[in-house]
């Protein structure tokens, strides 16, 4: 009897000891392992580590991103945005006509193109009421826009959020000081947001048009909010109202195509169109969103010395870096 | 009572020890899995960061000089747009890009091999490349329908000795034959190419003229010939085991990812150090130049152990 008792105690001890250590060991691993099966059915283990570089650094400006969407597009578009670039915004809000558990903010405005400006007005009023102190800059994006938040923060770094400013792709017509393209996304400073809301509460601004970006531009002008230049040091655009292939492809000398007619700054076609630190591209749907995410944050040429290095202190910001700085360098022979 | 407690304690000690041993063995299991893979494929992995850190300064200097690439690009006038695109995009990053054509085109210059047969033309091109290699020790054979990132090719072969026979790419199997798929690019070390050129002279093992009945695709034929010289196809992979040579386009791979692992589309897709993609249109390749060589998030810096300069006279990278 005693023997049996001792044996069962021993077995209990065995199990307890095993389980205790197992739990201890599992909790020590901070990395998340995902196991994927590839085409051959062979097991490959990928280890994902949370990079601290995923969120823009704390000494950069805080950005609130609000995404204009509707019930139809939550599954097909916004779900992918949430899984990709939206994670890099300090605060994200998904603005829709109805409140949902996604979560979306319900603006109490009907869907439809003619209600776009109403949605914008209500959205900005909502943000002003609930989130004014959560951010320094307020970015509006469509649900088919790709945004590189780090590059937005980089553009905004030289501006003061307490100044009445707004930035985006500057269009020239219809408003004397011009206005920012809605499709490319635009960003308001904290002061600009205050003035917009103030404009509506005092009656200085009104629902002047159903063309959202134009109407907002009119209110900005009324409230003395200045458009600022979002281009990089080489005067290349960062906000883009169309996908990359509209701008990057080499074209023969030709009159301005229709999608470049509104430009405030002289448009450039071909590789000089777009900044390395591009902020946005528009008409980007789910597959293309992930493609751009992969190209921006993942795929890279090993060891490549990028031509555009705005931080390097070189006279006139020339393309080539002094060869003295580099130790092991390989140049293509030809 | 003490002896009872003693039994329990002994049990606990043994249990925890057992658990430790098991998890220790468990942490080795990925590599044993790879060993199983070796029976099906051979792999060549890119060096890990730690491996590169361990190399001394003079070694790094030597390696950076050694890792130059001669690109053998097989073109034809009927795919003129792709030819022109390759010329304007990725081929500029080869140390020696040479275009070999089936017949001359008025629009673009290339080395005219004056040969209609694909296999014969490939043989001639490879022989020419071998004879004109100069100091170059790595060869990349591709069609202009492939998009390549030469810097990542250099990274893959950085610590490999080109006087050893390497034959790398997207390794596939056809029956008993392991071969590298042509459409995603073929990498040959100097030694592998040397042996290939030698076996070209053997009309039994590696005939120039093949009967119509026995004709296999050029990439399989290449593998057959190389086999006779003890050179075997190996899969090019990154340090984590992800394939670097893709027979699909980025878009296609992402679509697969959205279907197969929707919660992890990008991370579960393709390698950060991918070398090739296939099936992209000329416009997509122009966009790729921007996407690969320029578009990036400000503030993300990589401390790579080697520097590759941009090519001179180019504006789209």
């Amino acid at each position: 009897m005693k023997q049996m008792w001792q044996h069962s105690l021993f077995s209990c001890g065995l199990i307890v000891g095993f389980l205790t250590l197992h739990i201890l060991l599992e909790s020590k691993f901070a990395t998340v392992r995902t196991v994927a099966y590839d085409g051959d059915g062979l097991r490959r283990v990928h280890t994902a580590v949370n990079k601290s570089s995923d969120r823009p650094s704390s000494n950069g400006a805080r950005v609130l991103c609000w995404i204009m969407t509707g019930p139809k597009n939550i599954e097909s578009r916004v779900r992918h945005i949430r899984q990709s670039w939206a994670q890099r915004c300090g605060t994200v809000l998904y603005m829709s006509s109805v409140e949902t558990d996604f979560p979306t903010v319900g603006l109490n405005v009907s869907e439809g193109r003619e209600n776009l400006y109403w949605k914008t007005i209500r959205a900005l009023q909502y943000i002003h009421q609930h989130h004014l102190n959560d951010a320094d800059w307020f970015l509006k994006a469509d649900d088919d826009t790709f945004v590189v938040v780090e590059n937005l923060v980089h553009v905004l770094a030289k501006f003061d959020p307490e100044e009445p400013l707004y930035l985006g792709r500057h269009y020239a017509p219809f408003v004397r000081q011009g206005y920012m393209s809605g499709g490319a996304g635009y960003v308001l400073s904290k002061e600009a947001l205050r003035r917009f809301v103030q404009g509506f509460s005092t009656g200085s601004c009104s629902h002047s048009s159903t063309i959202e970006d134009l109407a907002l531009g009119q209110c900005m002008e009324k409230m003395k909010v200045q458009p600022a230049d979002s281009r990089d040091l080489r005067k290349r655009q960062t906000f883009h109202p169309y996908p990359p292939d509209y701008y990057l492809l080499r074209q023969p000398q030709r009159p301005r195509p229709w999608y470049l007619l509104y430009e405030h700054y002289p448009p450039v076609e071909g590789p000089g169109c777009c900044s390395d630190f591009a902020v946005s591209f528009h008409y980007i749907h789910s597959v293309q969103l992930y493609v751009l995410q992969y190209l921006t944050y993942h795929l890279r040429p090993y060891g490549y010395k990028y031509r555009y290095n705005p931080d390097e202190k070189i006279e006139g910001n020339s393309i080539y870096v002094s060869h003295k700085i580099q130790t092991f360098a390989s140049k293509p022979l030809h | 009572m003490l002896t009872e407690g003693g039994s329990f304690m002994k049990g606990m000690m043994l249990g925890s020890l057992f658990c430790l041993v098991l998890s220790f063995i468990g942490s080795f299991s990925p590599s044993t899995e790879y060993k199983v893979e070796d029976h099906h494929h051979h792999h060549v992995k890119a060096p890990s960061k730690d491996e590169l850190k361990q190399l001394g300064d003079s070694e790094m200097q030597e390696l950076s000089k050694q890792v130059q690439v001669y690109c053998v690009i097989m073109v034809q006038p009927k795919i003129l747009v792709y030819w022109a695109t390759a010329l304007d995009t990725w081929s500029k990053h080869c140390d020696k890009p040479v275009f070999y054509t089936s017949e001359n085109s008025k629009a673009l210059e290339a080395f005219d091999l004056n040969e209609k047969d694909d296999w014969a033309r490939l043989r001639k091109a490879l022989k020419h490349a071998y004879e004109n290699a100069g100091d170059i020790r790595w060869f990349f054979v591709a069609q202009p329908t492939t998009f390549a990132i030469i810097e990542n090719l250099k990274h893959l072969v950085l610590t490999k000795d080109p006087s050893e026979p390497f034959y790398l790419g997207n390794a596939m199997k056809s029956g008993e034959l392991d071969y590298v798929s042509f459409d995603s690019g073929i990498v040959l070390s100097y030694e592998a190419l040397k042996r290939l050129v030698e076996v070209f002279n053997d009309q039994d093992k590696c005939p120039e003229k093949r009967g119509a009945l026995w004709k296999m695709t050029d990439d399989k034929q290449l593998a057959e010939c190389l086999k006779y010289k003890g050179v075997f196809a190996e899969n090019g992979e990154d340090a984590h085991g992800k394939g670097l040579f893709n027979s699909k386009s980025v878009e296609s791979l992402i679509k697969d990812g959205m279907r197969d692992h929707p919660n992890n589309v990008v991370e579960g897709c393709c390698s950060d150090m991918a070398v090739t993609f296939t099936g992209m249109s000329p416009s997509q390749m122009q966009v790729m130049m921007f996407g690969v060589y320029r578009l990036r998030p400000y503030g993300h810096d990589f401390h790579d152990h080697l520097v590759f300069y941009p090519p001179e006279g180019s504006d789209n990278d």
Side-chain angles (χ1 to χ4, degrees):
Chain A
M1 262 308 261
K2 209 175 180 181
Q3 277 258 323
M4 251 180 69
W5 178 232
Q6 276 191 355
H7 279 210
S8 39
L9 267 181
F10 184 81
S11 319
C12 279
L14 208 68
I15 294 166
V16 170
F18 188 91
L19 285 174
T20 313
L21 210 70
H22 181 77
I23 293 165
L24 265 173
L25 286 173
E26 284 297 297
S27 67
K28 271 192 183 245
F29 287 119
T31 52
V32 174
R33 280 168 175 221
T34 53
V35 181
Y37 285 82
D38 70 14
D40 305 55
L42 295 163
R43 194 165 169 267
R44 301 207 197 281
V45 178
H46 306 295
T47 307
V49 176
N50 283 320
K51 281 199 295 222
S52 60
S53 55
D54 272 5
R55 284 274 166 93
S57 57
S58 53
N59 55 357
R62 297 172 305 161
V63 176
L64 180 150
C65 305
W66 64 275
I67 291 143
M68 183 82 95
T69 185
K72 282 187 297 153
N73 294 336
I74 304 291
E75 270 311 298
S76 54
R77 295 185 185 186
V78 190
R79 182 167 60 98
H80 303 298
I81 291 179
R82 182 168 65 176
Q83 244 177 255
S84 57
W85 64 263
Q87 291 177 12
R88 294 165 198 265
C89 303
T91 311
V92 199
L93 297 169
Y94 302 100
M95 300 294 189
S96 177
S97 50
V98 288
E99 184 180 325
T100 64
D101 285 337
F102 182 78
T104 57
V105 173
L107 296 172
N108 241 342
V109 175
S110 312
E111 294 297 328
R113 215 177 166 74
E114 62 284 4
N115 290 318
L116 259 177
Y117 193 40
W118 278 121
K119 279 177 85 173
T120 302
I121 297 163
R122 294 283 172 257
L124 288 171
Q125 286 170 333
Y126 175 90
I127 292 166
H128 180 268
Q129 188 179 353
H130 300 276
H131 295 280
L132 185 64
N133 294 313
D134 290 345
D136 308 304
W137 298 92
F138 302 84
L139 171 80
K140 176 257 178 177
D142 283 346
D143 56 18
D144 54 357
T145 309
F146 173 74
V147 177
V148 186
V149 180
E150 290 90 334
N151 293 345
L152 175 60
V153 171
H154 176 59
V155 168
L156 297 173
K158 56 181 178 291
F159 299 105
D160 180 359
E162 294 298 334
E163 291 290 305
L165 297 169
Y166 88 127
L167 294 98
R169 182 74 168 227
H170 200 171
Y171 279 171
F174 313 124
V175 183
R176 201 182 34 83
Q177 70 173 15
Y179 64 100
M180 300 304 166
S181 152
Y186 52 75
V187 55
L188 270 61
S189 68
K190 201 201 276 280
E191 180 57 27
L193 176 59
R194 285 194 198 107
R195 290 197 187 188
F196 180 86
V197 173
Q198 191 187 3
F200 274 87
S201 59
T202 58
S204 304
C205 292
S206 67
H207 186 270
S208 49
S209 160
T210 54
I211 305 169
E212 177 245 352
D213 46 9
L214 200 159
L216 187 119
Q218 286 170 334
C219 180
M220 292 286 100
E221 187 171 71
K222 201 80 191 287
M223 302 308 293
K224 301 208 180 345
V225 174
Q226 304 281 350
D229 189 355
S230 58
R231 296 176 303 167
D232 72 10
L233 292 173
R234 293 208 201 145
K235 304 281 183 251
R236 297 177 305 191
Q237 294 280 6
T238 54
F239 288 77
H240 303 94
Y242 290 95
D245 59 308
Y246 274 64
Y247 307 101
L248 282 166
L249 303 181
R250 298 190 197 280
Q251 303 289 355
Q253 196 83 314
R254 60 178 190 173
R256 259 189 224 192
W258 61 271
Y259 53 87
L260 289 174
L261 283 173
Y262 284 2
E263 297 293 326
H264 171 89
Y265 299 108
V268 176
E269 293 202 87
C273 66
C274 315
S275 177
D276 291 18
F277 299 131
V279 173
S280 70
F281 289 101
H282 184 220
Y283 295 116
I284 305 295
H285 302 279
S286 51
V287 177
Q288 287 309 316
L289 197 74
Y290 291 119
V291 168
L292 282 172
Q293 180 87 0
Y294 173 66
L295 295 180
T296 308
Y297 292 98
H298 293 267
L299 183 62
R300 65 184 191 91
Y302 181 80
Y304 190 66
K305 183 97 190 80
Y306 296 105
R307 290 188 195 272
Y308 180 60
N309 299 294
D311 294 340
E312 256 152 34
K313 289 164 183 62
I314 305 155
E315 224 167 312
N317 233 312
S318 58
I319 298 170
Y320 291 113
V321 176
S322 166
H323 291 210
K324 287 183 283 187
I325 301 171
Q326 310 307 334
T327 45
F328 315 117
S330 179
K331 240 190 203 180
L333 282 183
H334 65 289
Chain B
M1 274 301 269
L2 269 172
T3 39
E4 287 166 354
S7 290
F8 187 81
M9 290 310 288
K10 276 188 212 156
M12 255 195 82
M13 298 287 275
L14 211 64
S16 4
L17 203 71
F18 189 55
C19 183
L20 262 174
V21 170
L22 265 184
S23 63
F24 198 59
I25 296 172
S27 69
F28 280 130
S29 65
S31 56
T32 54
E33 302 255 356
Y34 289 139
K35 285 205 188 101
V36 170
E37 287 176 47
D38 282 342
H39 289 297
H40 304 288
H41 283 311
H42 301 277
H43 311 264
V44 167
K45 284 217 181 109
S48 66
K49 274 203 192 123
D50 295 326
E51 277 180 69
L52 292 177
K53 254 190 246 176
Q54 286 168 23
L55 294 170
D57 283 4
S58 57
E59 274 187 276
M60 263 307 185
Q61 200 106 51
E62 268 309 300
L63 289 176
S64 70
K65 268 189 247 156
Q66 200 175 288
V67 70
Q68 283 163 359
V69 180
Y70 186 126
C71 292
V72 175
I73 307 163
M74 307 299 294
V75 297
Q76 297 179 60
K78 68 177 183 191
I79 46 164
L80 200 68
V81 183
Y82 282 99
W83 177 347
T85 304
L87 197 58
D88 187 32
T89 60
W90 62 267
S91 71
K92 289 188 277 190
H93 292 250
C94 304
D95 295 281
K96 187 164 177 161
V98 183
F99 289 77
Y100 294 93
T101 182
S102 55
E103 53 179 298
N104 254 324
S105 155
K106 289 198 196 101
L108 294 168
E109 263 185 46
F111 200 89
D112 185 2
L113 294 167
N114 217 351
E115 181 65 64
K116 289 284 186 250
D117 179 59
D118 289 345
W119 171 239
R121 199 164 66 246
L122 183 61
R123 288 168 59 112
K124 278 191 181 174
L126 290 170
K127 194 155 181 285
H128 181 268
Y130 175 69
E131 286 161 3
N132 292 276
D135 289 330
I136 301 181
R137 290 291 168 267
W138 290 99
F139 301 84
F140 177 63
V141 193
Q143 293 151 325
T145 43
T146 306
F147 184 90
I149 303 167
I150 301 299
E151 287 81 3
N152 291 345
L153 172 52
K154 293 185 177 187
H155 178 244
L156 172 64
V157 300
L158 194 57
T159 54
K160 313 290 180 287
D161 183 359
S163 60
E164 296 281 324
F166 284 101
Y167 164 42
L168 322 166
N170 186 6
M172 318 211 83
K173 217 169 168 59
S174 172
E176 280 304 311
L177 181 71
D178 282 332
Y179 68 99
V180 170
S181 178
F182 196 0
D183 64 0
S184 43
I186 303 171
V187 180
L188 293 165
S189 67
Y190 186 78
E191 178 61 26
L193 184 58
K194 176 163 173 280
R195 293 190 193 184
L196 183 62
V197 170
E198 280 166 20
V199 81
F200 279 161
N201 294 323
D202 190 329
Q203 286 305 315
D204 293 316
K205 296 202 178 104
C206 193
E208 184 168 342
K209 296 228 185 309
R210 304 169 297 174
L213 279 175
W214 297 102
K215 230 171 170 179
M216 41 168 92
T217 56
D218 295 347
D219 45 15
K220 288 183 192 151
Q221 185 67 75
L222 203 73
E224 281 281 0
C225 295
L226 281 166
K227 241 176 110 171
Y228 283 115
K229 286 294 205 168
V231 182
F232 301 98
E234 291 180 289
N235 202 39
E237 298 169 358
D238 67 11
H240 308 288
K242 267 190 188 172
L244 294 171
F245 296 82
N246 298 290
S247 290
K248 290 184 172 183
S249 64
V250 177
E251 191 169 321
S252 185
L253 290 162
I254 291 286
K255 273 196 194 138
D256 291 348
M258 288 174 73
R259 181 195 63 214
D260 299 334
H261 36 85
N263 292 325
N264 211 12
V265 178
V266 179
E267 287 78 7
C269 169
C270 341
S271 176
D272 288 12
M273 296 286 152
V275 178
T276 61
F277 294 98
T278 313
M280 304 181 76
S281 71
S283 304
Q284 285 174 325
M285 292 199 202
Q286 291 281 5
V287 176
M288 271 298 264
M289 289 302 281
F290 176 72
V292 172
Y293 290 104
R294 295 171 53 202
L295 180 63
R296 61 198 189 278
Y298 178 80
H300 289 214
D301 293 314
F302 305 95
H303 303 288
D304 295 333
H305 292 83
L306 215 62
V307 175
F308 295 120
Y309 279 112
E312 285 177 24
S314 178
D315 65 349
N316 57 357
D317 50 24

